[in-house]
Amino acid sequence: GENVEQHPSTLSVQEGDSAVIKCTYSDSASNYFPWYKQELGKRPQLIIDIRSNVGEKKDQRIAVTLNKTAKHFSLHITETQPEDSAVYFCAAGSDSWGKLQFGAGTQVVVTP
Amino acid sequence: ETGVTQSPTHLIKTRGQQVTLRCSSQSGHNTVSWYQQALGQGPQFIFQYYREEENGRGNFPPRFSGLQFPNYSSELNVNALELDDSALYLCASSYRLNTEAFFGQGTRLTVV
C-alpha cells in the first residue's frame, strides 16, 4: 500500500524567509498530490495540489514541485508570514482523490 | 468555508459502546471519505463511499462501518469502542472520484 513520508516534523522560520517541506511516496500508481494546512482545532484545508502530468505549480507565495522518477514532492512557501504558522500535511492518491495517504505532518512556526 | 458539515462536534463515550457520526457532503458532491486523525498525526483513511457504494477501505477492523444515503450524506459507525478509538474523525467530500476533497470540521470522539 501507499506510504508517505514527510520531513521535517517541525520547521521554525523567521518572517519573510522561505519554508520547504519534503515528502516521498512509495506507490508508483500515485497520480495526485495535495497539500493541506491545518490550524489548531480546525479542519484540514486544501492549499495547493499537483497532478502527475505536471512538474511544478505555483499559486502566489506557494509552490509545489513533483519529481515522479524519484517519487519526491515538495511544498515551498516564500515570504513567510505569521499566519502561515500551522501544521502542513502532504498526501498522495491514485484512483480516487478522496482516498489519500497522508504524511505525518510538519509543524511550521513563523516568528516575527 | 466549505459546505461539508459533521455532527456532533464533540462526543464522549464509554469503552464497549457504539457510536454513529454523521457527515453532510457539500452540495453536488457524490463521494465521501472518512478519516481518523489521532492527536499529533496525519489523517488515516478509513473508507470511501461513492454513489452509495463502498469504494475502498483502509486498514481498519470491521467494527468500523458506514453507509451513504441517496442524498450523499454519510454515517460512520463504530462498535465496541476501544480507548484507542479516541481521535478526531474527519469526513471529506468530492464532486467526483477524481476531484479535490474538502474536509468537514470533524467530530472529536473521546472514549473513556
Side-chain angles (χ1 to χ4, degrees):
Chain A
E2 180 64 70
N3 185 34
V4 177
E5 295 190 1
Q6 182 172 349
H7 300 280
S9 57
T10 59
L11 182 59
S12 293
V13 295
Q14 291 275 10
E15 182 178 0
D17 288 349
S18 295
V20 179
I21 303 170
K22 298 182 178 181
C23 290
T24 61
Y25 62 97
S26 59
D27 188 353
S28 299
S30 297
N31 58 13
Y32 175 64
F33 306 92
W35 288 85
Y36 286 86
K37 174 184 180 182
Q38 188 174 31
E39 297 177 39
L40 190 63
K42 296 192 176 180
R43 74 188 75 197
Q45 289 191 307
L46 179 68
I47 56 172
I48 195 167
D49 56 14
I50 192 168
R51 305 173 196 183
S52 60
N53 58 347
V54 175
E56 184 173 356
K57 183 177 179 180
K58 188 174 182 180
D59 183 4
Q60 299 183 342
R61 296 186 296 108
I62 294 174
V64 59
T65 58
L66 171 65
N67 182 331
K68 285 191 296 182
T69 302
K71 296 182 183 172
H72 290 171
F73 58 114
S74 300
L75 177 71
H76 304 253
I77 307 173
T78 59
E79 301 173 20
T80 53
Q81 302 168 3
E83 52 264 39
D84 294 329
S85 296
V87 179
Y88 291 80
F89 292 99
C90 63
S94 54
D95 59 310
S96 170
W97 295 358
K99 204 187 303 181
L100 300 169
Q101 294 293 328
F102 280 82
T106 297
Q107 175 74 62
V108 174
V109 177
V110 181
T111 53
Chain B
E1 192 69 16
T2 73
V4 185
T5 58
Q6 294 184 241
S7 62
T9 55
H10 296 84
L11 199 55
I12 299 175
K13 288 287 189 178
T14 303
R15 188 172 51 183
Q17 285 188 315
Q18 178 266 343
V19 67
T20 298
L21 310 182
R22 295 177 174 83
C23 173
S24 293
S25 57
Q26 190 163 327
S27 178
H29 287 195
N30 60 19
T31 304
V32 173
S33 305
W34 285 92
Y35 290 83
Q36 180 194 68
Q37 187 177 24
L39 200 61
Q41 298 182 21
Q44 297 293 314
F45 174 71
I46 302 175
F47 44 58
Q48 181 184 75
Y49 280 86
Y50 171 62
R51 292 185 173 182
E52 303 180 61
E53 297 287 330
E54 187 179 289
N55 183 51
R57 186 181 182 92
N59 189 27
F60 280 82
R63 60 189 184 85
F64 286 77
S65 64
L67 70 161
Q68 187 177 32
F69 299 100
N71 67 354
Y72 302 132
S73 65
S74 178
E75 286 184 352
L76 164 65
N77 299 290
V78 187
N79 294 323
L81 284 166
E82 301 177 359
L83 297 179
D84 285 349
D85 295 334
S86 296
L88 179 68
Y89 288 85
L90 295 160
C91 77
S93 76
S94 310
Y95 178 60
R96 292 191 304 271
L97 286 176
N98 289 332
T99 58
E100 298 85 348
F102 297 96
F103 282 86
Q105 81 281 11
T107 294
R108 173 72 62 186
L109 173 64
T110 302
V111 182
V112 298

